[in-house]
DNA sequence: CGAAATATGTCAACATGGCTGACATAAATA
DNA sequence: TATTTATGTCAGCCATGTTGACATATTTCG
């Protein structure tokens, strides 16, 4: 996946409608495009595996977050994914029916359906996370020891300012959640 | 867009099916999730604008690459986007019909339909790139002067090894293409 | 207690943007 | 001339997003 093959995209620049400074400064084309290509490759690894299970990216996202945050409420998941409950319902139902995710009644609030991955679900989730981790680890290996920190800070800074703290807490909390003993 | 609101996703970690080391090492959860959140916010800015024009992300990608690479062949675009010509045809036709993109016969090869943005198309493309650039610039401003380079190297390293060179050449060539005079 | 709010699920319909397969046309090339 | 290439187009399918309406159980509040 994802070689570029621009073949002979050479010098057909003849009739370009270039009009510099339609906006203020020059756009950061490099980062804009690298984000596109990097993200596309990043999600392609899981996509290939998921296809064999008859799942798509939507299933991946649900499985990922439930695995990362066992005991998540449906409402929490909707908040994180920012999709409608109808969209979520469709893929969640499939994951439950096929035994990758299960629901348990909340102990305090019996309206809640707390979500957990089954062992089968965890196995798939970890497989997918492993693929993505391999790619990231390869990248960091190429770049030196400070790369992890630099990447983390870059990505955090790219998140909407209002959401930043929430995301970081969310990640930190999940780290605790998945390792009650250690 | 994109605040997280995990509400009270607190300590419902009771019945976690944790089984460490289904794979070898621990996944890099932080980068995996930060990429998800960062990319989601990154594309949300253009999405809002595009919606007002009745366009979607697919139109954005086409407009972006045609703007960046005036004179691109249809086949080049298919290679970059990695979608089928039928999928491309749909959105491309809309962009042409509504006057954002135009086609010209290739001079050497009259089968080719070389793609160009119209002034109207360029204006929209630059508007969208401007939004994304603002976000990136804000991030770099938070992080110091080496941040641009660090981010670029991280993203390049995340691209499939085979595609890496092609992408970098593609970006470099586009930089030349849009500024024949300077 | 009873009313209202909350958490969830479900039905139906629709839009977007991927996909496959088949086929058509014009132009270049062997 | 025959074939290959670049492009377009028709028809239909699938995944995943949307809105709106409504149902159910449970909790919470006045």
């Amino acid at each position: 996946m994802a070689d570029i093959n621009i073949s002979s995209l050479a010098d057909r620049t003849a009739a370009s409608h270039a009009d510099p400074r339609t906006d203020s400064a020059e756009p950061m084309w490099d980062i804009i495009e690298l984000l596109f290509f990097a993200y596309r490759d990043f999600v392609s690894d899981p996509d290939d595996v998921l296809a064999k299970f008859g799942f798509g990216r939507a299933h991946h996202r649900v499985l990922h977050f439930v695995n990362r945050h066992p005991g998540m409420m449906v409402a929490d998941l909707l908040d994180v994914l920012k999709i409608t409950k109808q969209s979520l319902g469709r893929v969640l139902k499939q994951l439950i029916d096929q035994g990758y995710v299960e629901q348990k009644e909340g102990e305090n609030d019996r309206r809640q359906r707390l979500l957990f991955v089954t062992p089968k679900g965890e196995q798939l989730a970890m497989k997918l996370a492993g693929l993505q981790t391999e790619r990231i680890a390869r990248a960091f290996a190429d770049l030196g020891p400070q790369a992890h920190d630099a990447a983390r800070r870059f990505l955090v800074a790219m998140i909407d300012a209002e959401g930043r703290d929430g995301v970081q807490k969310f990640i930190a909390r999940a780290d605790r959640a998945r390792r009650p003993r250690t």
Side-chain angles (χ1 to χ4, degrees), chain A residues 136-152:
Chain A
I136 299 166
R138 254 182 275 127
F140 289 165
D142 289 356
L143 296 177
Q146 20 56 47
H148 193 143
D149 239 59
R152 180 165 36 220

Side-chain angles (χ1 to χ4, degrees), chain A residues 152 156 159 163-175:
Chain A
R152 180 165 36 220
V156 168
I159 296 170
R164 236 169 263 170
D165 281 7
V167 168
Q168 289 181 281
K169 278 179 199 151
F170 179 76
I171 291 175
R173 181 161 50 237
D175 286 340

